[in-house]
Every structure is written in structure tokens, then in C-alpha cells.
Amino acid sequence: DGGITQSPKYLFRKEGQNVTLSCEQNLNHDAMYWYRQDPGQGLRLIYYSQIVNDFQKGDIAEGYSVSREKKESFPLTVTSAQKNPTAFYLCASSVRSVEFGKPSNQPQHFGDGTRLSIL
Amino acid sequence: GQSLEQPSEVTAVEGAIVQINCTYQTSGFYGLSWYQQHDGGAPTFLSYNGLDGLEETGRFSSFLSRSDSYGYLLLQELQMKDSASYFCAPLNPGGYNKLIFGAGTRLAVHP
């Protein structure tokens, strides 16, 4: 079955440590996204990528980094610079727009998320 | 600036109809999506309105009025499993399928 896999489901970070959250998809989607969700809140965009080797900062990119070396994978690193990393992290993917300057109305498909906490 | 307004909580009984309103103010607008998220789960896509009017998908319908910067999600024949958070998400007109999520509406369905 096609889908998005996030791992691990739960992750604990020590102070001063960088941690990497995995996101893999086999939907053949070009576009991928990382969101952060705090309790009782909506989703805030961290980074997004429309194609391999390209990614853009979202609304809250500070303290995070990403890479997009393969179409299927979009790992997120939470660096020690992110002082309040405790949150629910969601990865998503979608069909990208094929028409320059226009978004695709195709839905975003989400993984089951990773819960990150500070030790 | 950008803003999204949805009621924070809505309560209804099984079998009833509920409407969740959404007003938006964005720097650009291409369409409006709706997503459902159960507690602790992943958001799932419900519907998309690219044009004004009503879109119907089973028990769920979604409406958009671009001139009023307003949309709503209508849930009919409510079931207990519909208890979840619902997010309206305007689609940014740039080429990156960038959605804007607000805080969402928490729907509680009671017997």
C-alpha cells in the first residue's frame, strides 16, 4: 500500500543534541512538507520541498534543517538551536503543480507523526 | 497579514447537522481545503473548493464564497466517529501547494 512513513513514533532529545526525524513516502509525490503541531493548536509549516534538491523555509524554520536528496525521503533535523522542540511533527506529501506559478489542488497526505520531547 | 477564523469548539448530537464556518484573510488565495484530525492522529483530506459554490462528498459538503472570503464545512447525519478537529486551510497561490492551517474547530458528538 502506498503511504507516508514517519519514524520514530516517539523521540526524546537531550539538551544540546541534534535529532533527525525520518519521513519516507512511496506515493511518487514530488512535493513534501514538514509541520509542527503544539497541543490544541493548528499546523505550522517548517519546511517544504517541491522537487529533489530543492526546499524552501516555511513560517517557523529557525532551529530546523532539512535535506531532499531523494524523491522518497525528506528528513527533518531538529537542532540544538531549537529551544522549544517539544511538539508533534507531521510530514506530508502531495502531487506538485505542473503549471508554473499555480499550485496543485491535490490534497496533502500525512504520515502518523513523531512526538518529540525533551529529556 | 494572514488570518483564519474558525470556532474553537462545536458540540452536537448524533444524527444532527453541524456547520463549521471559516473566514480567511490571506495575501493571496487559490482555493480552500478542509482536513479532519482525530486526537493523536494524522490529518486527512476531506474536500477542496476551487470555485464558489457547494461541493458534496457523501455526508460532508463544503462551500466557498470568494467575494466574502468565507467557507463552511457541513456535516450531516453526525456519527460518534466524527468527533475530531476540523481545519480549513486556504491554498497559497504560489507554486508550492502551500496550505495555511489555523487552530481548527474541535467537534464533539454526543449520543
Side-chain angles (χ1 to χ4, degrees):
Chain A
D1 286 340
I4 300 180
T5 302
Q6 289 188 241
S7 62
K9 192 171 179 68
Y10 298 95
L11 186 60
F12 298 91
R13 194 191 88 168
K14 295 179 182 178
E15 203 167 326
Q17 184 183 44
N18 292 354
V19 291
T20 298
L21 284 61
S22 170
C23 177
E24 304 276 334
Q25 54 97 1
N26 60 5
L27 298 166
N28 200 33
H29 287 166
D30 285 298
M32 297 188 75
Y33 314 81
W34 273 107
Y35 294 92
R36 168 181 173 140
Q37 187 175 33
D38 292 284
Q41 301 298 313
L43 284 67
R44 291 185 290 168
L45 184 64
I46 305 173
Y47 268 98
Y48 54 106
S49 167
Q50 193 178 21
I51 200 166
V52 173
N53 292 324
D54 170 76
F55 49 83
Q56 306 292 325
K57 291 183 178 180
D59 301 317
I60 55 165
E62 188 173 346
Y64 300 97
S65 66
V66 293
S67 63
R68 187 81 189 279
E69 297 176 2
K70 298 188 299 182
K71 185 177 183 177
E72 301 80 16
S73 179
F74 191 39
L76 173 74
T77 296
V78 184
T79 74
S80 57
Q82 174 47 248
K83 297 306 180 187
N84 184 23
T86 298
F88 187 42
Y89 290 86
L90 287 157
C91 178
S93 71
S94 73
V95 174
R96 74 177 175 95
S97 172
V98 294
E99 191 171 347
F100 179 77
K102 286 191 176 180
S104 163
N105 63 1
Q106 295 301 306
Q108 292 187 14
H109 299 260
F110 286 81
D112 289 334
T114 293
R115 291 195 181 277
L116 176 63
S117 302
I118 297 180
L119 277 178
Chain B
Q2 298 185 132
S3 68
L4 275 176
E5 284 192 25
Q6 294 179 241
S8 58
E9 292 185 13
V10 173
T11 303
V13 296
E14 269 187 305
I17 299 173
V18 71
Q19 178 173 313
I20 299 174
N21 297 320
C22 170
T23 57
Y24 58 86
Q25 182 178 341
T26 59
S27 57
F29 180 81
Y30 196 76
L32 188 68
S33 296
W34 288 90
Y35 285 78
Q36 178 193 60
Q37 184 182 30
H38 287 96
D39 281 347
T44 56
F45 173 79
L46 291 177
S47 70
Y48 174 79
N49 293 74
L51 301 173
D52 282 2
L54 193 67
E55 293 282 342
E56 297 180 74
T57 309
R59 294 187 298 114
F60 295 177
S61 303
S62 59
F63 172 82
L64 175 66
S65 169
R66 287 172 171 267
S67 60
D68 296 320
S69 297
Y70 164 77
Y72 67 72
L73 180 70
L74 191 73
L75 298 86
Q76 302 182 72
E77 300 172 21
L78 281 174
Q79 302 175 10
M80 296 293 289
K81 67 178 182 179
D82 297 329
S83 293
S85 291
Y86 293 84
F87 297 91
C88 66
L91 182 59
N92 184 279
Y96 284 95
N97 286 20
K98 184 179 173 184
L99 291 171
I100 305 162
F101 285 89
T105 298
R106 190 174 183 85
L107 171 64
V109 180
H110 296 289

